[in-house]
Amino acid sequence: MVNKKQPVDFEALLSTIDAAFPMVQILDKDGKVVNKDIMPDLSDDQLVEIMEKMVWSRILHERSMALARQGRLGFYAPTAGQEASQLASHYAFVKEDVLLPGYRDIPQLIQHGLPVSKAFLWSRGHSLGNEYPEDLNALPPQIIIGAQIIQAMGVGIGLKKRGKQNVAFTYTGDGGSSQGDFYEGLNYAGAYKAPVVFFIQNNGYAISTPRHKQTAATTLAQKAVAAGIPGIQVDGMDALAVYAVTKQARDWAVAGNGPVLIETITSRFGPHSTSGDDPTRYRDQESFDYWEQRDPLIRYRNFLTEKGIWSEEKENQLIEKTKEEIKASVTEADQAPKQKVSDFLKNMYETPTQVIAEQIATFEAKESK
Amino acid sequence: MAQKTMIEAITQALDQEMERDQDILIFGEDVGKNGGVFRATAGLQEKYGEERVSDTPLAESGIGGLAIGLALQGFRPVPEIQFIGFLFEVLDSIVGQAARTRYRMSSTRNMPITIRTPFGGGVHTPEMHSDNLEGLLTQSPGIKVVVPSNPYDAKGLLTSALRDNDPVVFMEHMKLYRSFRDEVPEESYTIPLGKAAITREGKDVSVITYGAMVREAIKAADELEKEGISVEIVDLRTISPLDIETIIASVEKTGRVVVVQEAQRQAGVGAMVMSEISERAILSLKAPIGRVAAPDTVFPFGLAETSWLPNATDIAEKVKATYNF
């Protein structure tokens, strides 16, 4: 037998790649600091603010589930479990940065300036939900998985051409990283050195399809290598780690170094969406138990309580206040006027075409009856 | 006035609008230093720099996303899709995204994007270069589709497209790029989108067509004139939205119509034109509406183009049949 050396050691190659994407973590699952060297520079007030946003988001989630069950909301994609991934990442951006959310990224969109009542109108399917003021630097939630990635790339290139010190940031899920547009967006942003921060929120499932059926890649962060850009894998249940890597990525992008890909390892505690998905068909109880023990709120709460800057009383006050605000937002959404087809027709083109003008006249006659 | 080919007229329109409006950005595969595979953007990168005329990676979907993102930052993107067959790669960005933005955001955002793309048969291209895919686009609310048939129209229509605040797909027929010259004014001018042109006045039969079939219709009309049949040619120029007024006025005048397209019978915009006429002018018709279109097969192998593509003879035959009905 000839024992000739192979030209390339494939096993060594793969393990070298995997080794380059360790999971960044600052707080362990009990809220103990395990990596104080990379602790972000945040004041006590800022640390508390991140907790407030996460608690707010959990309550928004619980109320949204209840409202959807009552038929008072339409499409809703649950967010519980992803608070650190969504809210702590958003906390690293500024109002002038441009957000391109996926359909599960409503909490970031609201934090970026979208009124809660509009988020509810979007869920119900009302045009007012997407009527954004000019200074809201965001697009409505994207339904076509991957489209937000190529568009964020375009926005980033636009920001760079305008000489702005801002970034575009966008989110997709683990399933979304299999799309062509995901790769194209990263690759273009790299080629143009565009200021974009891309997030993969890896919650383990794309509807019922587990993460390991999407790709043979050990991490999703390593997909950045294909675009020649930095990729980071972070504990997505750890608010401090998510904030720290997002801040670093934003600083890097704003400084003109190009885009960054961040994979947050997270979980959704509920179904894929309220449109009839039953996660017990494809996930066992152990999986839910495992992740609920890693609840971002529990560990961050422990961390803040230990520091003496958070209390049960404070949290309960915040919960009550949030519930009241959500109630008011539902009432506001209820008051939206009935949608008119003539308005839809008027929003097709700047100037209606002849055929559309005819249809406007037809519908206005019907609507005035 | 100068004699220009259609491609020269296109380049001049791009140049003059770029000069006028700093927000216009041209990008695509090989449109920069190379000046485009058909020379449509020749000299523009040299004149306006890489910031305004740039080559992209080879990925049409990315080109679409780039255009949308730039439009959101206040630019007026003019992307190029190198050949029409590659439209499928970018259909979501055009039809699923840009076309819907004004509607979905209640006119708080809009997409002033002009997508230029060559198409059309008769030049023996390889597969997926020449297909007549305009029907896919005209069925999509929110975009306009323009198909010029001559150098003069190409310049005026492209100038209008670039100034339009909604997405326009500007389809450039490859056979028309350099096949003839036309008087084209040096100065900038516009031709309104959504307005057809009467290429030739006639009284017996209206031939309603667009793109390369306009030239074929002219040839047919010349022949038919010798036989005493007077053909009116309506060049649609914009195929979405249709200029219903001009179409109906011509039909009411002649009472006979033949709709002509290079696309397959099941594709293109012929059926749409026919149904508008049926709804709006059936009492003026002295004969059923005739149609000339390609067979319902995949676009032909290069050597089979001449027997597949509709031509002047097909048009003349259909006009005679309609006239003698």
Side-chain angles (χ1 to χ4, degrees):
Chain A
M1 195 174 128
V2 185
N3 200 0
K4 208 169 154 247
K5 198 174 175 324
Q6 295 284 354
V8 178
D9 183 345
F10 290 156
E11 275 175 22
L13 181 66
L14 291 172
S15 58
T16 306
I17 294 169
D18 293 347
F21 299 90
M23 188 163 76
V24 177
Q25 194 185 50
I26 295 176
L27 296 178
D28 70 9
K29 75 180 179 58
D30 302 316
K32 296 270 179 295
V33 175
V34 292
N35 196 345
K36 69 176 191 322
D37 292 348
I38 57 167
M39 180 67 93
D41 189 18
L42 291 167
S43 68
D44 283 357
D45 283 352
Q46 288 173 313
L47 290 172
V48 165
E49 215 181 328
I50 290 174
M51 183 65 184
E52 287 171 346
K53 288 175 192 295
M54 293 205 295
V55 171
W56 164 84
S57 185
R58 179 64 60 87
I59 300 305
L60 178 68
H61 159 77
E62 286 172 1
R63 293 305 304 144
S64 297
M65 288 297 278
L67 289 162
R69 271 194 294 268
Q70 294 161 23
R72 300 188 75 189
L73 280 187
F75 178 78
Y76 171 68
T79 57
Q82 296 189 195
E83 288 83 0
S85 171
Q86 296 183 319
L87 284 308
S89 64
H90 182 269
Y91 196 68
F93 297 101
V94 301
K95 192 174 180 291
E96 292 73 24
D97 293 337
V98 184
L99 167 63
L100 292 97
Y103 53 76
R104 200 180 299 280
D105 303 311
I106 310 301
Q108 300 99 298
L109 199 47
I110 295 170
Q111 289 300 325
H112 217 57
L114 184 75
V116 178
S117 60
K118 279 189 184 277
F120 288 164
L121 285 167
W122 175 80
S123 163
R124 289 176 182 181
H126 194 296
S127 64
L128 264 181
N130 283 354
E131 212 175 300
Y132 285 14
E134 204 169 321
D135 65 349
L136 174 51
N137 295 302
L139 279 183
Q142 180 57 254
I143 295 295
I144 301 302
I145 295 170
Q148 72 271 36
I149 306 290
I150 49 172
Q151 291 172 15
M153 163 273 283
V155 169
I157 293 169
L159 289 166
K160 187 177 173 181
K161 283 185 185 293
R162 293 285 186 211
K164 291 186 184 162
Q165 293 300 301
N166 291 105
V167 303
F169 63 114
T170 186
Y171 298 82
T172 190
D174 39 311
S177 69
S178 301
Q179 287 278 0
D181 280 350
F182 169 82
Y183 169 68
E184 288 189 27
L186 263 60
N187 186 59
Y188 265 70
Y192 280 80
K193 271 195 186 297
V196 188
V197 182
F198 299 101
F199 289 92
I200 300 171
Q201 298 188 84
N202 174 2
N203 63 21
Y205 289 87
I207 306 189
S208 65
T209 306
R211 144 74 180 84
H212 71 264
K213 290 200 196 279
Q214 296 292 342
T215 174
T218 309
T219 71
L220 299 179
Q222 73 199 56
K223 293 193 171 199
V225 174
I229 67 172
I232 309 170
Q233 188 192 190
V234 61
D235 183 342
M237 307 302 255
D238 172 359
L240 288 180
V242 170
Y243 174 80
V245 299
T246 307
K247 177 78 170 52
Q248 186 188 359
R250 186 186 181 278
D251 289 348
W252 167 271
V254 166
N257 299 305
V260 179
L261 173 65
I262 298 173
E263 175 191 9
T264 64
I265 307 297
T266 182
S267 179
R268 58 170 155 87
F269 294 166
H272 161 71
S273 80
T274 52
S275 311
D277 176 48
D278 175 8
T280 61
R281 275 204 295 260
Y282 53 85
R283 273 177 78 176
D284 53 28
Q285 194 52 46
E286 273 167 46
S287 151
F288 288 107
D289 294 345
Y290 175 88
W291 283 106
E292 274 162 25
Q293 285 160 18
R294 281 154 184 80
D295 188 330
L297 267 67
I298 295 174
R299 78 171 78 173
Y300 197 60
R301 185 187 291 123
N302 288 346
F303 168 71
L304 293 187
T305 309
E306 184 77 10
K307 275 180 85 81
I309 54 177
W310 192 254
S311 67
E312 204 181 323
E313 193 196 347
K314 207 168 183 168
E315 186 159 334
N316 286 335
Q317 279 171 6
L318 175 62
I319 290 170
E320 284 317 304
K321 184 169 150 259
T322 305
K323 284 181 178 169
E324 284 306 310
E325 282 168 1
I326 290 169
K327 213 169 153 185
S329 299
V330 174
T331 309
E332 204 182 324
D334 290 344
Q335 284 154 4
K338 193 169 178 285
Q339 302 181 87
K340 289 197 281 188
V341 176
S342 59
D343 287 337
F344 295 165
L345 287 159
K346 287 171 192 168
N347 285 325
M348 286 311 302
Y349 300 96
E350 186 173 46
T351 313
T353 65
Q354 186 191 336
V355 173
I356 284 185
E358 289 169 0
Q359 293 170 23
I360 290 172
T362 307
F363 276 93
E364 279 183 340
K366 279 191 200 173
E367 287 155 2
S368 66
K369 274 178 198 159
Chain B
M1 281 217 262
Q3 290 278 323
K4 282 195 195 316
T5 61
M6 190 162 99
I7 200 98
E8 289 163 352
I10 286 167
T11 308
Q12 191 176 48
L14 293 171
D15 185 6
Q16 290 176 337
E17 286 306 291
M18 286 199 86
E19 179 107 49
R20 197 185 64 81
D21 187 340
Q22 299 302 305
D23 285 332
I24 290 178
L25 303 177
I26 290 177
F27 50 91
E29 295 155 9
D30 313 298
V31 302
K33 199 164 188 179
N34 190 43
V37 292
F38 290 104
R39 319 290 305 138
T41 53
L44 296 180
Q45 189 184 68
E46 212 175 353
K47 186 167 171 188
Y48 297 102
E50 271 195 69
E51 275 300 308
R52 294 191 62 201
V53 183
S54 59
D55 292 321
T56 63
L58 202 168
E60 287 76 20
S61 192
I63 291 174
L66 175 56
I68 291 167
L70 289 170
L72 289 168
Q73 286 300 309
F75 289 102
R76 302 184 74 85
V78 187
E80 179 182 296
I81 301 301
Q82 199 164 65
F83 292 97
I84 189 76
F86 317 159
L87 181 75
F88 296 111
E89 307 297 321
V90 65
L91 216 46
D92 179 57
S93 280
I94 300 173
V95 173
Q97 307 288 331
R100 301 166 68 104
T101 302
R102 181 185 287 279
Y103 164 88
R104 91 188 265 258
M105 298 190 75
S106 300
S107 295
T108 60
R109 304 290 188 280
N110 65 303
M111 290 281 135
I113 299 171
T114 301
I115 299 142
R116 291 184 40 254
T117 186
F119 81 109
V123 291
H124 304 299
T125 58
E127 280 184 290
M128 299 293 288
H129 282 58
S130 304
D131 295 51
N132 300 90
L133 301 181
E134 67 273 20
L136 295 176
L137 299 164
T138 59
Q139 291 221 350
S140 308
I143 39 178
K144 296 175 183 172
V145 186
V146 176
V147 188
S149 69
N150 60 70
Y152 178 86
D153 283 358
K155 182 176 170 184
L157 289 166
L158 183 55
T159 303
S160 292
L162 294 177
R163 294 180 189 179
D164 200 278
N165 286 326
D166 292 309
V168 178
V169 180
F170 194 83
M171 297 179 57
E172 302 166 5
H173 200 293
M174 283 182 274
K175 200 181 172 189
L176 302 178
Y177 267 154
R178 292 190 175 84
S179 57
F180 63 101
R181 288 176 181 274
D182 205 358
E183 292 287 339
V184 177
E186 283 301 308
E187 67 277 11
S188 191
Y189 61 94
T190 59
I191 294 171
L193 304 186
K195 286 276 168 240
I198 305 292
T199 302
R200 177 193 188 105
E201 296 219 21
K203 60 179 177 49
D204 296 325
V205 183
S206 298
V207 169
I208 299 173
T209 187
Y210 57 98
M213 289 299 111
V214 174
R215 302 279 290 173
E216 296 300 314
I218 293 169
K219 276 187 234 164
D222 286 343
E223 287 305 309
L224 291 163
E225 195 166 29
K226 293 174 196 159
E227 299 177 35
I229 302 172
S230 162
V231 173
E232 173 147 303
I233 299 173
V234 178
D235 178 356
L236 292 170
R237 302 199 290 197
T238 300
I239 55 170
S240 181
L242 288 170
D243 179 359
I244 307 277
E245 232 176 292
T246 304
I247 294 169
I248 299 303
S250 179
V251 173
E252 284 173 346
K253 181 172 103 178
T254 61
R256 298 181 192 88
V257 201
V258 174
V259 176
V260 180
Q261 65 181 19
E262 183 178 309
Q264 294 89 334
R265 185 178 165 94
Q266 70 186 59
V269 293
M272 184 70 183
V273 173
M274 293 165 82
S275 67
E276 290 289 349
I277 294 168
S278 307
E279 270 189 50
R280 296 168 191 264
I282 196 148
L283 297 178
S284 305
L285 293 177
K286 297 172 200 159
I289 306 168
R291 163 154 55 179
V292 175
D296 285 325
T297 72
V298 168
F299 196 89
F301 295 102
L303 290 175
E305 271 186 332
T306 43
S307 50
W308 189 90
L309 288 166
N311 59 29
T313 311
D314 301 322
I315 298 170
E317 278 170 12
K318 184 54 80 176
V319 169
K320 273 194 262 185
T322 303
Y323 182 71
N324 295 320
F325 178 77

